[in-house]
Amino acid sequence: MAFDPAFLDELRTRLPLSSVIGRKTKLVRSGRNWKACCPFHGEKTPSFYVYDDHFHCFGCGAHGDVISFVMQSEGRSFPEAVEQLAGEAGLDVPRQDPRAEARAREAKSLGDVLEAVQAVWRRKLREPDGKAGLDYLRRRGLTEETIETFGLGWSGDGRGGLADEMQRQEITPQMLAQAGLMRLDESGAPRGELFFNRVTFPIRDRRGRLVSFGARTLGDGQPKYLNGPETALFSKRRTLFNLDRARQALRDDGQTLLVVEGYMDVIALHQAGFRAAVAPLGTALGVEQLELLWQAAPAPVICLDGDAAGARAALRAAETALPLLSPERTLRFCRLDAKDDPDSLIRREGPEAMRRVLGGATSLADELFSVLSAGVSGEGPEQRAALRAKLEASAALIGDRSLASEYRRSLLDRYFAMARGGKHRAGSPVFARSLPARMPVAAAPPSGARERLNAMTAILLVYPACLPDVEQAWAAVALPEPLDTLREAMFDWLGEQGGRRDLDAESLHAWLVERGVGTQRQAVLESRLPRLPRSGEGDALLEAGPLERWWEFYSLANREEFQRLVAEDLRLMFADTSLEKAPEAVIARLKVHARLQRGESMAEEE
């Protein structure tokens, strides 16, 4: 039976190799790795070593990954080992599909296409056409060695030269499109290259295989940075830029694993000697990416830009990490000045300045308290009670009970010390974006909800200013295609806005067209939506307001989750502040809840 390579990678990611092998033989720490007496041959001195993604015995030569370990230790066939491990990981084994082997061959061929394009783009950087790109990289302080190490290139002017050159290697425009490098029109004819007039950054998976590209424009064009689309090889939420080199640096030198914001931060850090640096690809750190980080190191350091967008990204990382923490894995944080990112700091003050910043890295508990206490204005008992409730609720998110108890004790120790000192941090209002009292769990909406999901997406396409208020709830909704792809592109656009609130539909439309999902946008806007009852003059959508209308559809597609959110809103209302001071999203949810209680839903249930 042929298995989808993406499924096998997910399986390996979900199951730490040390935990599987540890059930068969006693493991002891050896630096960042583990060692044991080999379970496959008798020995008294340990020669069996376990790394984050493979094992190797220097005595008998046994070698492999988590699947091959189960095969060798339990005498199982490959399909049997996969089925057993999938059950342990909570994954459904894909049904036998005669097309799976074809997809595997396609994935391999896509890798060949990407490597061929990479060779062209690297060459172009050294030609007259790529002079602007090479000059830019040199102005950013990159050495020739660094440029070669990361395989940086120049994509050309996008006027068909890439397709012509690839045709000579028997690579068709259709193959380029499947690899995420070219757009085709409805007839399948080339419509244009995705990357043009940009410096290119090869994106590799954790094993060093080329899976996509990122690119930066040199002019005023938007977006400034562009990642390739999802393909059979590439999934942004399962990829971290430079993870392959970072893992090697962790093995070789025992460096600290750093998480920074962008390509240039990673490359500047690497050149300055900090070779274990990675970056997400224009999105907030997700669960899959955190699992990749923890496979490599137990306590990665989140070091994002010192501006508002960087603070927002750090907060999202903490939100995502809390339910996943254990005594063996956590996060640390370091803060830069608002004017800085790692690249600018190193260029201005050198590597030593970065070492000082890393030396001041704080624990996740410290970061949590700093963020949450900064959201308290005033020193009255109401504000103190609100802060305490948030601290306790944040600790309660941690799944490990003993660790949750320790976090609660640690956060409340800081709380009482601050209260005794009479000091409150100046910051945003109490209801500023901070850790919620609970995290939503992705769940498939009930059957027949497609029109409601379309309606939720359409509202955000027309009124993107609502996105920051519903982002977390929307992210937890299981969407069918093409809504899922459209949502991911919209989140990428939101991340590029740097915390701005004056978000407009025209800018979003241009971004989606640039990302090649303009037709999906149009299809959603033209799709049949649930009927909107009229009341007096005008559309009920406009009368209720787009944010309230969005929560109306959400409540019908995700009733149980909506009720939990409202219950939490009400709890915080009593503990935190008055309704008049609540953010618009909370007010909208409470209004929808009140109508549902009265049986007056504006969105008709089919």
Side-chain angles (χ1 to χ4, degrees), residues 16 99 104 125 164 379:
R99 295 172 296 180
L125 184 67
D164 292 341
E379 299 186 14

Side-chain angles (χ1 to χ4, degrees), residues 531-597:
R531 286 175 291 141
L532 307 177
R534 304 283 178 166
S535 173
E537 297 181 0
D539 192 335
L541 170 60
L542 299 177
E543 291 175 4
L547 186 59
E548 187 177 342
R549 188 62 169 160
W550 190 90
W551 284 111
E552 184 86 17
F553 285 112
Y554 180 93
S555 71
L556 296 176
N558 303 270
R559 179 66 62 90
E560 184 179 350
E561 177 62 21
F562 179 77
Q563 296 290 1
R564 284 197 290 263
L565 287 173
V566 170
E568 193 55 36
D569 288 339
L570 293 171
R571 188 186 72 80
L572 289 178
M573 295 301 293
F574 285 107
D576 217 341
T577 187
S578 64
L579 178 60
E580 288 74 23
K581 294 182 181 178
E584 188 179 359
V586 171
I587 295 174
R589 280 199 297 266
L590 294 177
K591 285 183 177 180
V592 171
H593 175 68
R595 284 199 299 274
L596 290 174
Q597 293 294 97

Side-chain angles (χ1 to χ4, degrees), residues 399-558:
D400 185 292
R401 289 189 176 184
S402 62
L403 185 60
S405 177
E406 290 299 325
Y407 259 77
R408 182 180 183 276
R409 182 179 297 111
S410 179
L411 291 170
L412 289 183
D413 284 347
R414 292 167 172 81
Y415 165 81
F416 289 123
M418 186 182 74
R420 286 192 297 270
K423 295 179 181 179
H424 278 269
R425 303 171 189 267
S428 54
V430 174
F431 263 98
R433 277 189 70 136
S434 59
L435 288 173
R438 64 175 306 282
M439 292 289 291
V441 179
S447 60
R450 178 62 181 256
E451 291 181 356
R452 293 165 192 157
L453 300 178
N454 275 344
M456 291 162 63
T457 307
I459 290 171
L460 297 178
L461 287 169
V462 178
Y463 300 97
C466 296
L467 266 170
D469 294 315
V470 304
E471 177 184 6
Q472 190 171 353
W474 197 33
V477 177
L479 292 182
E481 289 294 346
L483 297 182
D484 187 46
T485 298
L486 191 58
R487 173 178 59 184
E488 185 165 0
M490 293 168 72
F491 280 169
D492 288 352
W493 173 78
L494 180 62
E496 287 285 330
Q497 305 310 303
R500 290 174 48 215
R501 299 291 298 195
D502 56 332
L503 306 174
D504 63 278
E506 185 176 347
S507 173
L508 173 59
H509 180 197
W511 169 279
L512 296 176
V513 171
E514 175 71 21
R515 295 301 299 271
V517 291
T519 55
Q520 290 93 320
R521 168 192 176 274
Q522 194 62 30
V524 169
L525 293 177
E526 294 176 355
S527 63
R528 177 181 177 270
L529 303 179
R531 286 175 291 141
L532 307 177
R534 304 283 178 166
S535 173
E537 297 181 0
D539 192 335
L541 170 60
L542 299 177
E543 291 175 4
L547 186 59
E548 187 177 342
R549 188 62 169 160
W550 190 90
W551 284 111
E552 184 86 17
F553 285 112
Y554 180 93
S555 71
L556 296 176
N558 303 270

Side-chain angles (χ1 to χ4, degrees), residues 319-368:
E319 291 177 349
T320 306
L322 277 173
L324 309 173
L325 296 182
S326 73
E328 293 79 28
R329 57 189 199 180
T330 186
L331 296 177
R332 291 185 292 154
F333 292 81
C334 66
R335 296 194 177 202
L336 300 174
D337 291 337
K339 65 181 179 181
D340 272 327
D341 55 39
D343 179 27
S344 64
L345 178 63
I346 290 172
R347 281 191 287 152
R348 188 179 67 253
E349 299 183 29
E352 191 55 41
M354 192 68 210
R355 291 190 184 93
R356 289 195 300 270
V357 169
L358 294 177
T362 59
S363 68
L364 178 54
D366 284 333
E367 183 71 13
L368 267 179

Side-chain angles (χ1 to χ4, degrees), residues 386-400:
L387 174 59
R388 178 169 180 169
K390 288 181 179 180
L391 295 173
E392 292 181 332
S394 298
L397 291 174
I398 300 172
D400 185 292

